[in-house]
Amino acid sequence: MDRREMLEKSAMLVGSICLCGSIGADDPPESTCCITPEIEQECLTFNQNSIIIDLGKTVTLQKSGQAVYVDYPGKDLKMIVVREKKNRYFALSRLCTHGGQAISYVPERKKLQCNSYNHSVFNLDGSVWKGPAPNAIRSFDIISGDQRLEIFF
Ligand code: FES
């Protein structure tokens, strides 16, 4: 483990800093706390008021602790979907209410953390756990079934 990896793992354990805010804009983000994959498009079905995720077609939500970004084409819905544990999922806005930066899931803490250097932290119900974010992030109703999630908006 090199020095950078050690710092990142330490930051994750204590919940203080990550290196995303300290690297230049030209550098790709390397901190694992700030990397959330996009869900595979082939597992999505779009309805008028919901999105269905076929869990049999996705590898990005197969394990507890995983999270993915989900978008609805043509709608201003930027979601993060979290599989906290088997049959327990959450769907929330992924935009921080402080400055609109993206949010990532930190499975070790079971919290959502803003990717900006201020690092607001949110509970899985969307409420603020640590500011400076002033308000909760939007939480979407979600129904999980056999190999299927339906998220309502
Ligand atoms: S944008 Fe999230 S803490 Fe500032």
Side-chain angles (χ1 to χ4, degrees):
M1 178 184 302
D2 66 19
R3 183 171 183 272
R4 183 185 184 93
E5 289 173 327
M6 190 172 77
L7 284 170
E8 288 173 355
K9 291 211 182 296
S10 299
M12 290 298 292
L13 288 174
V14 299
S16 56
I17 59 166
C18 85
L19 300 179
C20 295
S22 64
I23 57 179
D26 295 335
D27 297 322
E30 294 179 25
S31 171
T32 55
C33 77
C34 300
I35 295 174
T36 304
E38 300 281 339
I39 197 163
E40 304 92 333
Q41 291 299 305
E42 59 272 18
C43 69
L44 298 176
T45 302
F46 302 104
N47 296 322
Q48 190 170 3
N49 296 309
S50 70
I51 299 173
I52 296 172
I53 299 175
D54 184 339
L55 294 171
K57 291 183 180 173
T58 175
V59 296
T60 52
L61 277 177
Q62 288 299 308
K63 297 179 191 164
S64 299
Q66 290 183 315
V68 291
Y69 287 160
V70 176
D71 292 308
Y72 190 116
K75 288 194 187 293
D76 192 22
L77 287 171
K78 295 189 177 300
M79 295 180 184
I80 181 169
V81 178
V82 174
R83 182 174 188 167
E84 184 209 357
K85 56 187 174 184
K86 187 177 181 185
N87 297 325
R88 190 166 161 87
Y89 297 87
F90 295 87
L92 305 109
S93 167
R94 67 169 180 263
L95 301 182
C96 178
T97 58
H98 177 238
Q101 296 297 307
I103 290 167
S104 296
Y105 182 53
V106 184
E108 295 84 355
R109 302 171 72 193
K110 298 195 176 191
K111 303 284 184 200
L112 296 151
Q113 180 171 289
C114 178
N115 293 353
S116 87
Y117 68 90
N118 281 311
H119 278 337
S120 289
V121 179
F122 301 87
N123 297 305
L124 283 170
D125 66 1
S127 60
V128 177
W129 188 76
K130 178 181 101 44
N135 302 309
I137 50 175
R138 182 178 175 191
S139 177
F140 298 93
D141 290 335
I142 187 165
I143 295 176
S144 60
D146 187 32
Q147 295 295 304
R148 171 184 202 268
L149 297 180
E150 186 162 12
I151 301 163
F152 297 88
F153 52 85

